[in-house]
Amino acid sequence: MRQALEEMRALYERNQADVSEAKSGRTDLIFLIRFRHCCLLRNQRCLLAYLYDRLLRIRALRWEYGSVLPNTIQFHMSAEEVEWFNRYKKSLATYMRSVGGEEGLDLTQDIKPPKSLYIEVRCLKDHGEFEIDDGTTILLKKNSQHFLPRWKCEQLIRQGVLEHVLS
Amino acid sequence: MYSMYQHTLLGAYINAIILLFLQRVLLLVASDVDALCACKILQALFQCDHVQYTLVPVAGWQELETAFLEHKDQFKYFVLINCGANVDLLEILQPEEDTFFFVCDSHRPINVVNVYNDTQIKLLVKQDDDLDVPAYDDIFREEEDEEEDSEDEGDGSEPSEKRRRFEEEVIERTMNRRQRREWEARRREILFDYEQYEYHGTSSAMVMFDLAWIMSKDLNDMLWWAIVGLTDQWVQDKITQMKYVTDIGILQRHVSRHNHRNEDEENSLSIDCMRIAFEYDLRLALYQHWSLYESLCNTSYTSASLKLWSVQGQKRLQEFLADMGLPLKQVKQKFNSMDVSLKENLREMIEESANKFGMKDLRVQTFSIHFGFKNKFSASDIVYATTSLMENIEKEGHETTNFIKALDSLSRGNLDKLHQGLDLAKKQLRAIQQTVASCICTNLVISQGPFLYCSLMEGTPDVKLFSKPVSLCLLSKYLLKSFVCSTKNKRCKLLPLVMAAPMDVEQGTVIMVGIPPETESSDKKNFFGRAFEKAAESTNSRTLHNHFELSIIELKTEDRSKFLDALISLLS
């Protein structure tokens, strides 16, 4: 990003210099100025596309990881992006609350239609203790298998800690 | 005071299942194929009824204890499959009052504490399994207070009377003490007799299938797993021939009940549906996935009877094949590619010729499974494949990874794992045969008096394969069979075998197994469990009795010779 911005600034300054020169008589510089202007516009478009793509990915992260992002990912986001993420979270939460009656509907669950209430999952790495809604904890050790309600495992499946076992 | 012990009938267990609907259960499963099959059946039942569970594989007592300690705060109900029946569970695990254990274990004898404790420990056994447990009164006794109650009685009594009473009391107390000592001596004797020999009861997979049947939730898949569990017991020589045939009969009834539609030509099921068929099949390991020749060479029964480690043995094999009219070229190629005309009456032909060569039991009652056009497996194929997957030494991953892979291979959707298992099984069988041949040819099996002894050296090819308990047991059994056929010494034929192999070179440990003698009417009872314990105690050897089978131990290489000496003197 920074390199692109540097390049743009350099081009802009040279353009500025040339515009003032052109104003004072040298008309053959106009093409050069136009060319540089087009470069500037293109760079701007590329930068904007890049930033927009990042925003789309951050939005997808909310659906994948839930409302709290892991530290490794937050490290790579700029402050403005974090703020954007928080605002997106808020507006998604407001929307979810407004849909589906009193309690709201958690749209981030069950993205694919579920086949059964309970699924069998296998733990791929040592994840330590995992607390579920009714307060009980499950110890997730590598290669242990568990038979749990679907909604409790979805998050962990997406994160890659658990693996859905089909038999 | 009870006059007869109580054990949970399978019907009563159903009530317990209803309790489990609201609870979560921890399954602790041992590492053998029978346990895996029982586990599959139980998992299917739990999934049917939405009972939440967690499955933790355990390979030995230490893993069992660790798993229990890690999970005891989160679970109140524990199901132990093929582990835990033969020791005092409550003492080892020290659970809370409200923890319950359901134990489905084929190891016998069941520890007396487990039998008589009917609050926390529930045993799943079949009603007609004869447990032979000693009577309650013979081993448990309430403490009777020996009160000295006549000190201050009777102020007005005369001294002579007092002295008489005192003498009477002394006599009574001495009598009580003597009775007590007699009772305790008798108790020790009874317990010693009861716990001396280890053996196996009904397969856990069959018990689980019975449970499913009582609950009317049994499926063909579960029946197949029960069959594999029983066949595992037969392959590993854990049950007598008679028990095997009886259990096959029981399963045969279930098979006809589930699979009778195949006989009806008009309404038969699609070829893709899974079906089980009873077969009076050849006893040749993996022969349908190998070549007939390889299978003949690598099955212990044929290899031992024909004595294939010697040159005359090889000649006899050629004669055997010639007698049946099977050309060598045909016999050496993959079984599926053999000429159809040769395969047609193969079983009867082989049986006839085998009888001439002294192999009367070449055919055995078993079952096979079909699904799709290509997939046909015999129960023993699955047993060999799953065992090799479970004891796979090729990839050094987490210990439980192999368990999980083997568990997966039992599902029909994971054919790739099953085929991988079959390949590994072929390697394993070949390695076993070669090791057996070299041991016999180099006279590595020596008689130590009360038993035969064989020790595998460090650099032997494939020795790493035999650092695993089940593989080493298979090797020992094949070795003993072959040895019995090769030796002329009548006394040696009746001896049991102790086998040792290097386990971990860095830590300097050796794994040792003891197996009962190989006789026609063997009752498969193994006394090495207790013998090993006593020998270890008396020599202070550094041993680890970690396996659920007490006749498999690990010990330090340096302690091996004194341990063996102690064992010899103990058993002489």
Side-chain angles (χ1 to χ4, degrees), chain A residues 118 120 122 137-138 141 143-147, chain B residues 43 47 50-51 53-55 400-401 404 408:
Chain A
Y118 288 79
E120 170 124 15
R122 177 176 303 154
T137 45
I138 306 180
K141 280 203 91 175
N143 283 331
S144 57
Q145 284 193 206
H146 310 266
F147 185 63
Chain B
Q43 277 182 301
Q47 283 170 8
H50 292 321
V51 176
Y53 66 85
T54 296
L55 168 68
T400 44
T401 316
I404 295 288
D408 276 345

mmCIF file with all atom_site columns, all heavy atoms in Angstrom, chain A residues 118 120 122 137-138 141 143-147, chain B residues 43 47 50-51 53-55 400-401 404 408:
data_model
loop_
_atom_site.group_PDB
_atom_site.id
_atom_site.type_symbol
_atom_site.label_atom_id
_atom_site.label_alt_id
_atom_site.label_comp_id
_atom_site.label_asym_id
_atom_site.label_entity_id
_atom_site.label_seq_id
_atom_site.pdbx_PDB_ins_code
_atom_site.Cartn_x
_atom_site.Cartn_y
_atom_site.Cartn_z
_atom_site.occupancy
_atom_site.B_iso_or_equiv
_atom_site.pdbx_formal_charge
_atom_site.auth_seq_id
_atom_site.auth_comp_id
_atom_site.auth_asym_id
_atom_site.auth_atom_id
_atom_site.pdbx_PDB_model_num
ATOM 1   N N   . TYR A 1 118 ? -27.818 -34.264 16.402 1.00 0.00 ? 118 TYR A N   1
ATOM 2   C CA  . TYR A 1 118 ? -26.548 -34.524 17.070 1.00 0.00 ? 118 TYR A CA  1
ATOM 3   C C   . TYR A 1 118 ? -25.559 -35.033 16.049 1.00 0.00 ? 118 TYR A C   1
ATOM 4   O O   . TYR A 1 118 ? -25.920 -35.780 15.157 1.00 0.00 ? 118 TYR A O   1
ATOM 5   C CB  . TYR A 1 118 ? -26.715 -35.602 18.143 1.00 0.00 ? 118 TYR A CB  1
ATOM 6   C CG  . TYR A 1 118 ? -27.468 -35.141 19.352 1.00 0.00 ? 118 TYR A CG  1
ATOM 7   C CD1 . TYR A 1 118 ? -28.833 -35.051 19.354 1.00 0.00 ? 118 TYR A CD1 1
ATOM 8   C CD2 . TYR A 1 118 ? -26.781 -34.805 20.505 1.00 0.00 ? 118 TYR A CD2 1
ATOM 9   C CE1 . TYR A 1 118 ? -29.512 -34.642 20.472 1.00 0.00 ? 118 TYR A CE1 1
ATOM 10  C CE2 . TYR A 1 118 ? -27.455 -34.401 21.639 1.00 0.00 ? 118 TYR A CE2 1
ATOM 11  C CZ  . TYR A 1 118 ? -28.820 -34.315 21.612 1.00 0.00 ? 118 TYR A CZ  1
ATOM 12  O OH  . TYR A 1 118 ? -29.490 -33.913 22.719 1.00 0.00 ? 118 TYR A OH  1
ATOM 13  N N   . GLU A 1 120 ? -21.467 -36.568 15.276 1.00 0.00 ? 120 GLU A N   1
ATOM 14  C CA  . GLU A 1 120 ? -20.275 -37.165 15.858 1.00 0.00 ? 120 GLU A CA  1
ATOM 15  C C   . GLU A 1 120 ? -19.066 -36.378 15.371 1.00 0.00 ? 120 GLU A C   1
ATOM 16  O O   . GLU A 1 120 ? -18.902 -36.159 14.175 1.00 0.00 ? 120 GLU A O   1
ATOM 17  C CB  . GLU A 1 120 ? -20.157 -38.611 15.365 1.00 0.00 ? 120 GLU A CB  1
ATOM 18  C CG  . GLU A 1 120 ? -18.848 -39.255 15.712 1.00 0.00 ? 120 GLU A CG  1
ATOM 19  C CD  . GLU A 1 120 ? -19.038 -40.530 16.480 1.00 0.00 ? 120 GLU A CD  1
ATOM 20  O OE1 . GLU A 1 120 ? -20.171 -41.028 16.469 1.00 0.00 ? 120 GLU A OE1 1
ATOM 21  O OE2 . GLU A 1 120 ? -18.075 -40.995 17.070 1.00 0.00 ? 120 GLU A OE2 1
ATOM 22  N N   . ARG A 1 122 ? -14.746 -35.555 15.816 1.00 0.00 ? 122 ARG A N   1
ATOM 23  C CA  . ARG A 1 122 ? -13.469 -36.049 16.307 1.00 0.00 ? 122 ARG A CA  1
ATOM 24  C C   . ARG A 1 122 ? -12.555 -34.854 16.523 1.00 0.00 ? 122 ARG A C   1
ATOM 25  O O   . ARG A 1 122 ? -12.541 -33.927 15.717 1.00 0.00 ? 122 ARG A O   1
ATOM 26  C CB  . ARG A 1 122 ? -12.857 -36.982 15.271 1.00 0.00 ? 122 ARG A CB  1
ATOM 27  C CG  . ARG A 1 122 ? -11.505 -37.495 15.665 1.00 0.00 ? 122 ARG A CG  1
ATOM 28  C CD  . ARG A 1 122 ? -11.016 -38.467 14.657 1.00 0.00 ? 122 ARG A CD  1
ATOM 29  N NE  . ARG A 1 122 ? -11.976 -39.524 14.531 1.00 0.00 ? 122 ARG A NE  1
ATOM 30  C CZ  . ARG A 1 122 ? -12.128 -40.262 13.445 1.00 0.00 ? 122 ARG A CZ  1
ATOM 31  N NH1 . ARG A 1 122 ? -11.374 -40.027 12.404 1.00 0.00 ? 122 ARG A NH1 1
ATOM 32  N NH2 . ARG A 1 122 ? -13.013 -41.211 13.404 1.00 0.00 ? 122 ARG A NH2 1
ATOM 33  N N   . THR A 1 137 ? -18.325 -28.940 31.091 1.00 0.00 ? 137 THR A N   1
ATOM 34  C CA  . THR A 1 137 ? -17.158 -28.787 30.219 1.00 0.00 ? 137 THR A CA  1
ATOM 35  C C   . THR A 1 137 ? -16.801 -30.119 29.603 1.00 0.00 ? 137 THR A C   1
ATOM 36  O O   . THR A 1 137 ? -17.004 -31.171 30.187 1.00 0.00 ? 137 THR A O   1
ATOM 37  C CB  . THR A 1 137 ? -15.948 -28.301 31.020 1.00 0.00 ? 137 THR A CB  1
ATOM 38  O OG1 . THR A 1 137 ? -15.886 -29.070 32.216 1.00 0.00 ? 137 THR A OG1 1
ATOM 39  C CG2 . THR A 1 137 ? -16.051 -26.854 31.366 1.00 0.00 ? 137 THR A CG2 1
ATOM 40  N N   . ILE A 1 138 ? -16.258 -30.027 28.405 1.00 0.00 ? 138 ILE A N   1
ATOM 41  C CA  . ILE A 1 138 ? -15.786 -31.236 27.727 1.00 0.00 ? 138 ILE A CA  1
ATOM 42  C C   . ILE A 1 138 ? -14.298 -31.064 27.506 1.00 0.00 ? 138 ILE A C   1
ATOM 43  O O   . ILE A 1 138 ? -13.847 -30.010 27.071 1.00 0.00 ? 138 ILE A O   1
ATOM 44  C CB  . ILE A 1 138 ? -16.468 -31.383 26.361 1.00 0.00 ? 138 ILE A CB  1
ATOM 45  C CG1 . ILE A 1 138 ? -17.957 -31.339 26.522 1.00 0.00 ? 138 ILE A CG1 1
ATOM 46  C CG2 . ILE A 1 138 ? -16.054 -32.676 25.694 1.00 0.00 ? 138 ILE A CG2 1
ATOM 47  C CD1 . ILE A 1 138 ? -18.684 -31.473 25.227 1.00 0.00 ? 138 ILE A CD1 1
ATOM 48  N N   . LYS A 1 141 ? -9.347  -33.668 23.782 1.00 0.00 ? 141 LYS A N   1
ATOM 49  C CA  . LYS A 1 141 ? -7.984  -34.162 23.577 1.00 0.00 ? 141 LYS A CA  1
ATOM 50  C C   . LYS A 1 141 ? -7.876  -34.694 22.179 1.00 0.00 ? 141 LYS A C   1
ATOM 51  O O   . LYS A 1 141 ? -8.849  -35.136 21.591 1.00 0.00 ? 141 LYS A O   1
ATOM 52  C CB  . LYS A 1 141 ? -7.715  -35.305 24.546 1.00 0.00 ? 141 LYS A CB  1
ATOM 53  C CG  . LYS A 1 141 ? -7.368  -34.854 25.916 1.00 0.00 ? 141 LYS A CG  1
ATOM 54  C CD  . LYS A 1 141 ? -6.600  -35.937 26.638 1.00 0.00 ? 141 LYS A CD  1
ATOM 55  C CE  . LYS A 1 141 ? -5.123  -35.731 26.415 1.00 0.00 ? 141 LYS A CE  1
ATOM 56  N NZ  . LYS A 1 141 ? -4.320  -36.659 27.166 1.00 0.00 ? 141 LYS A NZ  1
ATOM 57  N N   . ASN A 1 143 ? -7.723  -36.873 19.085 1.00 0.00 ? 143 ASN A N   1
ATOM 58  C CA  . ASN A 1 143 ? -8.254  -38.194 18.754 1.00 0.00 ? 143 ASN A CA  1
ATOM 59  C C   . ASN A 1 143 ? -9.340  -38.703 19.675 1.00 0.00 ? 143 ASN A C   1
ATOM 60  O O   . ASN A 1 143 ? -9.630  -39.880 19.682 1.00 0.00 ? 143 ASN A O   1
ATOM 61  C CB  . ASN A 1 143 ? -7.142  -39.248 18.695 1.00 0.00 ? 143 ASN A CB  1
ATOM 62  C CG  . ASN A 1 143 ? -6.370  -39.129 17.409 1.00 0.00 ? 143 ASN A CG  1
ATOM 63  O OD1 . ASN A 1 143 ? -6.908  -38.705 16.413 1.00 0.00 ? 143 ASN A OD1 1
ATOM 64  N ND2 . ASN A 1 143 ? -5.106  -39.491 17.451 1.00 0.00 ? 143 ASN A ND2 1
ATOM 65  N N   . SER A 1 144 ? -9.928  -37.826 20.487 1.00 0.00 ? 144 SER A N   1
ATOM 66  C CA  . SER A 1 144 ? -11.093 -38.306 21.218 1.00 0.00 ? 144 SER A CA  1
ATOM 67  C C   . SER A 1 144 ? -12.313 -37.996 20.360 1.00 0.00 ? 144 SER A C   1
ATOM 68  O O   . SER A 1 144 ? -12.334 -37.026 19.619 1.00 0.00 ? 144 SER A O   1
ATOM 69  C CB  . SER A 1 144 ? -11.193 -37.617 22.574 1.00 0.00 ? 144 SER A CB  1
ATOM 70  O OG  . SER A 1 144 ? -11.250 -36.227 22.429 1.00 0.00 ? 144 SER A OG  1
ATOM 71  N N   . GLN A 1 145 ? -13.317 -38.838 20.461 1.00 0.00 ? 145 GLN A N   1
ATOM 72  C CA  . GLN A 1 145 ? -14.525 -38.608 19.672 1.00 0.00 ? 145 GLN A CA  1
ATOM 73  C C   . GLN A 1 145 ? -15.665 -38.235 20.588 1.00 0.00 ? 145 GLN A C   1
ATOM 74  O O   . GLN A 1 145 ? -15.758 -38.730 21.708 1.00 0.00 ? 145 GLN A O   1
ATOM 75  C CB  . GLN A 1 145 ? -14.898 -39.886 18.918 1.00 0.00 ? 145 GLN A CB  1
ATOM 76  C CG  . GLN A 1 145 ? -14.015 -40.091 17.741 1.00 0.00 ? 145 GLN A CG  1
ATOM 77  C CD  . GLN A 1 145 ? -14.525 -41.164 16.796 1.00 0.00 ? 145 GLN A CD  1
ATOM 78  O OE1 . GLN A 1 145 ? -13.755 -41.747 16.107 1.00 0.00 ? 145 GLN A OE1 1
ATOM 79  N NE2 . GLN A 1 145 ? -15.808 -41.407 16.757 1.00 0.00 ? 145 GLN A NE2 1
ATOM 80  N N   . HIS A 1 146 ? -16.517 -37.335 20.118 1.00 0.00 ? 146 HIS A N   1
ATOM 81  C CA  . HIS A 1 146 ? -17.626 -36.899 20.944 1.00 0.00 ? 146 HIS A CA  1
ATOM 82  C C   . HIS A 1 146 ? -18.899 -36.902 20.143 1.00 0.00 ? 146 HIS A C   1
ATOM 83  O O   . HIS A 1 146 ? -18.883 -36.739 18.919 1.00 0.00 ? 146 HIS A O   1
ATOM 84  C CB  . HIS A 1 146 ? -17.364 -35.467 21.449 1.00 0.00 ? 146 HIS A CB  1
ATOM 85  C CG  . HIS A 1 146 ? -16.029 -35.295 22.063 1.00 0.00 ? 146 HIS A CG  1
ATOM 86  N ND1 . HIS A 1 146 ? -15.812 -35.410 23.409 1.00 0.00 ? 146 HIS A ND1 1
ATOM 87  C CD2 . HIS A 1 146 ? -14.822 -35.047 21.513 1.00 0.00 ? 146 HIS A CD2 1
ATOM 88  C CE1 . HIS A 1 146 ? -14.539 -35.218 23.650 1.00 0.00 ? 146 HIS A CE1 1
ATOM 89  N NE2 . HIS A 1 146 ? -13.906 -35.001 22.531 1.00 0.00 ? 146 HIS A NE2 1
ATOM 90  N N   . PHE A 1 147 ? -20.004 -37.087 20.834 1.00 0.00 ? 147 PHE A N   1
ATOM 91  C CA  . PHE A 1 147 ? -21.297 -37.071 20.171 1.00 0.00 ? 147 PHE A CA  1
ATOM 92  C C   . PHE A 1 147 ? -22.072 -35.943 20.810 1.00 0.00 ? 147 PHE A C   1
ATOM 93  O O   . PHE A 1 147 ? -22.505 -36.039 21.955 1.00 0.00 ? 147 PHE A O   1
ATOM 94  C CB  . PHE A 1 147 ? -21.986 -38.413 20.404 1.00 0.00 ? 147 PHE A CB  1
ATOM 95  C CG  . PHE A 1 147 ? -23.278 -38.558 19.667 1.00 0.00 ? 147 PHE A CG  1
ATOM 96  C CD1 . PHE A 1 147 ? -23.307 -38.531 18.289 1.00 0.00 ? 147 PHE A CD1 1
ATOM 97  C CD2 . PHE A 1 147 ? -24.453 -38.738 20.355 1.00 0.00 ? 147 PHE A CD2 1
ATOM 98  C CE1 . PHE A 1 147 ? -24.503 -38.673 17.600 1.00 0.00 ? 147 PHE A CE1 1
ATOM 99  C CE2 . PHE A 1 147 ? -25.646 -38.886 19.679 1.00 0.00 ? 147 PHE A CE2 1
ATOM 100 C CZ  . PHE A 1 147 ? -25.676 -38.853 18.304 1.00 0.00 ? 147 PHE A CZ  1
ATOM 101 N N   . GLN B 2 43  ? -21.898 -47.152 19.916 1.00 0.00 ? 43  GLN B N   1
ATOM 102 C CA  . GLN B 2 43  ? -22.010 -45.818 19.335 1.00 0.00 ? 43  GLN B CA  1
ATOM 103 C C   . GLN B 2 43  ? -23.280 -45.701 18.515 1.00 0.00 ? 43  GLN B C   1
ATOM 104 O O   . GLN B 2 43  ? -24.005 -44.701 18.594 1.00 0.00 ? 43  GLN B O   1
ATOM 105 C CB  . GLN B 2 43  ? -20.817 -45.525 18.418 1.00 0.00 ? 43  GLN B CB  1
ATOM 106 C CG  . GLN B 2 43  ? -19.598 -45.036 19.125 1.00 0.00 ? 43  GLN B CG  1
ATOM 107 C CD  . GLN B 2 43  ? -18.480 -44.720 18.137 1.00 0.00 ? 43  GLN B CD  1
ATOM 108 O OE1 . GLN B 2 43  ? -18.034 -45.568 17.397 1.00 0.00 ? 43  GLN B OE1 1
ATOM 109 N NE2 . GLN B 2 43  ? -18.059 -43.494 18.127 1.00 0.00 ? 43  GLN B NE2 1
ATOM 110 N N   . GLN B 2 47  ? -26.217 -43.104 19.235 1.00 0.00 ? 47  GLN B N   1
ATOM 111 C CA  . GLN B 2 47  ? -26.613 -42.108 18.251 1.00 0.00 ? 47  GLN B CA  1
ATOM 112 C C   . GLN B 2 47  ? -28.089 -42.203 17.952 1.00 0.00 ? 47  GLN B C   1
ATOM 113 O O   . GLN B 2 47  ? -28.764 -41.209 17.706 1.00 0.00 ? 47  GLN B O   1
ATOM 114 C CB  . GLN B 2 47  ? -25.799 -42.285 16.967 1.00 0.00 ? 47  GLN B CB  1
ATOM 115 C CG  . GLN B 2 47  ? -24.409 -41.740 17.133 1.00 0.00 ? 47  GLN B CG  1
ATOM 116 C CD  . GLN B 2 47  ? -23.502 -42.096 15.994 1.00 0.00 ? 47  GLN B CD  1
ATOM 117 O OE1 . GLN B 2 47  ? -23.952 -42.637 14.987 1.00 0.00 ? 47  GLN B OE1 1
ATOM 118 N NE2 . GLN B 2 47  ? -22.237 -41.787 16.137 1.00 0.00 ? 47  GLN B NE2 1
ATOM 119 N N   . HIS B 2 50  ? -29.754 -40.439 20.841 1.00 0.00 ? 50  HIS B N   1
ATOM 120 C CA  . HIS B 2 50  ? -29.241 -39.112 21.186 1.00 0.00 ? 50  HIS B CA  1
ATOM 121 C C   . HIS B 2 50  ? -28.654 -39.040 22.581 1.00 0.00 ? 50  HIS B C   1
ATOM 122 O O   . HIS B 2 50  ? -28.910 -38.092 23.325 1.00 0.00 ? 50  HIS B O   1
ATOM 123 C CB  . HIS B 2 50  ? -30.344 -38.056 21.052 1.00 0.00 ? 50  HIS B CB  1
ATOM 124 C CG  . HIS B 2 50  ? -30.756 -37.829 19.634 1.00 0.00 ? 50  HIS B CG  1
ATOM 125 N ND1 . HIS B 2 50  ? -29.861 -37.803 18.603 1.00 0.00 ? 50  HIS B ND1 1
ATOM 126 C CD2 . HIS B 2 50  ? -31.961 -37.641 19.076 1.00 0.00 ? 50  HIS B CD2 1
ATOM 127 C CE1 . HIS B 2 50  ? -30.510 -37.604 17.475 1.00 0.00 ? 50  HIS B CE1 1
ATOM 128 N NE2 . HIS B 2 50  ? -31.783 -37.500 17.729 1.00 0.00 ? 50  HIS B NE2 1
ATOM 129 N N   . VAL B 2 51  ? -27.885 -40.047 22.940 1.00 0.00 ? 51  VAL B N   1
ATOM 130 C CA  . VAL B 2 51  ? -27.166 -39.973 24.205 1.00 0.00 ? 51  VAL B CA  1
ATOM 131 C C   . VAL B 2 51  ? -25.815 -39.355 23.915 1.00 0.00 ? 51  VAL B C   1
ATOM 132 O O   . VAL B 2 51  ? -25.063 -39.855 23.096 1.00 0.00 ? 51  VAL B O   1
ATOM 133 C CB  . VAL B 2 51  ? -26.967 -41.383 24.797 1.00 0.00 ? 51  VAL B CB  1
ATOM 134 C CG1 . VAL B 2 51  ? -26.126 -41.315 26.052 1.00 0.00 ? 51  VAL B CG1 1
ATOM 135 C CG2 . VAL B 2 51  ? -28.297 -42.019 25.072 1.00 0.00 ? 51  VAL B CG2 1
ATOM 136 N N   . TYR B 2 53  ? -22.052 -38.629 24.208 1.00 0.00 ? 53  TYR B N   1
ATOM 137 C CA  . TYR B 2 53  ? -20.944 -39.399 24.768 1.00 0.00 ? 53  TYR B CA  1
ATOM 138 C C   . TYR B 2 53  ? -19.620 -38.851 24.280 1.00 0.00 ? 53  TYR B C   1
ATOM 139 O O   . TYR B 2 53  ? -19.560 -38.108 23.308 1.00 0.00 ? 53  TYR B O   1
ATOM 140 C CB  . TYR B 2 53  ? -21.068 -40.876 24.403 1.00 0.00 ? 53  TYR B CB  1
ATOM 141 C CG  . TYR B 2 53  ? -20.918 -41.168 22.934 1.00 0.00 ? 53  TYR B CG  1
ATOM 142 C CD1 . TYR B 2 53  ? -19.671 -41.343 22.352 1.00 0.00 ? 53  TYR B CD1 1
ATOM 143 C CD2 . TYR B 2 53  ? -22.026 -41.263 22.116 1.00 0.00 ? 53  TYR B CD2 1
ATOM 144 C CE1 . TYR B 2 53  ? -19.540 -41.587 20.999 1.00 0.00 ? 53  TYR B CE1 1
ATOM 145 C CE2 . TYR B 2 53  ? -21.901 -41.506 20.774 1.00 0.00 ? 53  TYR B CE2 1
ATOM 146 C CZ  . TYR B 2 53  ? -20.659 -41.679 20.219 1.00 0.00 ? 53  TYR B CZ  1
ATOM 147 O OH  . TYR B 2 53  ? -20.540 -41.923 18.884 1.00 0.00 ? 53  TYR B OH  1
ATOM 148 N N   . THR B 2 54  ? -18.588 -39.249 24.959 1.00 0.00 ? 54  THR B N   1
ATOM 149 C CA  . THR B 2 54  ? -17.221 -38.947 24.545 1.00 0.00 ? 54  THR B CA  1
ATOM 150 C C   . THR B 2 54  ? -16.465 -40.258 24.520 1.00 0.00 ? 54  THR B C   1
ATOM 151 O O   . THR B 2 54  ? -16.615 -41.080 25.416 1.00 0.00 ? 54  THR B O   1
ATOM 152 C CB  . THR B 2 54  ? -16.562 -37.989 25.549 1.00 0.00 ? 54  THR B CB  1
ATOM 153 O OG1 . THR B 2 54  ? -17.273 -36.770 25.521 1.00 0.00 ? 54  THR B OG1 1
ATOM 154 C CG2 . THR B 2 54  ? -15.125 -37.721 25.201 1.00 0.00 ? 54  THR B CG2 1
ATOM 155 N N   . LEU B 2 55  ? -15.667 -40.443 23.483 1.00 0.00 ? 55  LEU B N   1
ATOM 156 C CA  . LEU B 2 55  ? -14.969 -41.711 23.315 1.00 0.00 ? 55  LEU B CA  1
ATOM 157 C C   . LEU B 2 55  ? -13.485 -41.502 23.505 1.00 0.00 ? 55  LEU B C   1
ATOM 158 O O   . LEU B 2 55  ? -12.886 -40.657 22.839 1.00 0.00 ? 55  LEU B O   1
ATOM 159 C CB  . LEU B 2 55  ? -15.254 -42.223 21.902 1.00 0.00 ? 55  LEU B CB  1
ATOM 160 C CG  . LEU B 2 55  ? -14.429 -43.389 21.388 1.00 0.00 ? 55  LEU B CG  1
ATOM 161 C CD1 . LEU B 2 55  ? -14.766 -44.622 22.144 1.00 0.00 ? 55  LEU B CD1 1
ATOM 162 C CD2 . LEU B 2 55  ? -14.744 -43.618 19.925 1.00 0.00 ? 55  LEU B CD2 1
ATOM 163 N N   . THR B 2 400 ? -3.051  -42.795 19.632 1.00 0.00 ? 400 THR B N   1
ATOM 164 C CA  . THR B 2 400 ? -4.464  -43.049 19.410 1.00 0.00 ? 400 THR B CA  1
ATOM 165 C C   . THR B 2 400 ? -4.863  -42.891 17.942 1.00 0.00 ? 400 THR B C   1
ATOM 166 O O   . THR B 2 400 ? -5.968  -43.252 17.562 1.00 0.00 ? 400 THR B O   1
ATOM 167 C CB  . THR B 2 400 ? -5.303  -42.105 20.263 1.00 0.00 ? 400 THR B CB  1
ATOM 168 O OG1 . THR B 2 400 ? -4.736  -40.808 20.162 1.00 0.00 ? 400 THR B OG1 1
ATOM 169 C CG2 . THR B 2 400 ? -5.279  -42.537 21.707 1.00 0.00 ? 400 THR B CG2 1
ATOM 170 N N   . THR B 2 401 ? -3.963  -42.352 17.119 1.00 0.00 ? 401 THR B N   1
ATOM 171 C CA  . THR B 2 401 ? -4.322  -42.174 15.704 1.00 0.00 ? 401 THR B CA  1
ATOM 172 C C   . THR B 2 401 ? -4.597  -43.515 15.045 1.00 0.00 ? 401 THR B C   1
ATOM 173 O O   . THR B 2 401 ? -5.529  -43.643 14.251 1.00 0.00 ? 401 THR B O   1
ATOM 174 C CB  . THR B 2 401 ? -3.178  -41.482 14.945 1.00 0.00 ? 401 THR B CB  1
ATOM 175 O OG1 . THR B 2 401 ? -2.701  -40.409 15.730 1.00 0.00 ? 401 THR B OG1 1
ATOM 176 C CG2 . THR B 2 401 ? -3.646  -40.960 13.613 1.00 0.00 ? 401 THR B CG2 1
ATOM 177 N N   . ILE B 2 404 ? -8.008  -44.773 15.976 1.00 0.00 ? 404 ILE B N   1
ATOM 178 C CA  . ILE B 2 404 ? -9.072  -44.086 15.251 1.00 0.00 ? 404 ILE B CA  1
ATOM 179 C C   . ILE B 2 404 ? -9.155  -44.589 13.821 1.00 0.00 ? 404 ILE B C   1
ATOM 180 O O   . ILE B 2 404 ? -10.235 -44.814 13.281 1.00 0.00 ? 404 ILE B O   1
ATOM 181 C CB  . ILE B 2 404 ? -8.810  -42.566 15.269 1.00 0.00 ? 404 ILE B CB  1
ATOM 182 C CG1 . ILE B 2 404 ? -8.896  -42.051 16.691 1.00 0.00 ? 404 ILE B CG1 1
ATOM 183 C CG2 . ILE B 2 404 ? -9.751  -41.840 14.365 1.00 0.00 ? 404 ILE B CG2 1
ATOM 184 C CD1 . ILE B 2 404 ? -10.291 -42.025 17.234 1.00 0.00 ? 404 ILE B CD1 1
ATOM 185 N N   . ASP B 2 408 ? -12.314 -46.412 12.146 1.00 0.00 ? 408 ASP B N   1
ATOM 186 C CA  . ASP B 2 408 ? -12.931 -45.955 10.911 1.00 0.00 ? 408 ASP B CA  1
ATOM 187 C C   . ASP B 2 408 ? -13.050 -47.068 9.892  1.00 0.00 ? 408 ASP B C   1
ATOM 188 O O   . ASP B 2 408 ? -14.022 -47.139 9.147  1.00 0.00 ? 408 ASP B O   1
ATOM 189 C CB  . ASP B 2 408 ? -12.076 -44.844 10.281 1.00 0.00 ? 408 ASP B CB  1
ATOM 190 C CG  . ASP B 2 408 ? -12.403 -43.512 10.885 1.00 0.00 ? 408 ASP B CG  1
ATOM 191 O OD1 . ASP B 2 408 ? -13.438 -43.409 11.553 1.00 0.00 ? 408 ASP B OD1 1
ATOM 192 O OD2 . ASP B 2 408 ? -11.609 -42.579 10.692 1.00 0.00 ? 408 ASP B OD2 1
#
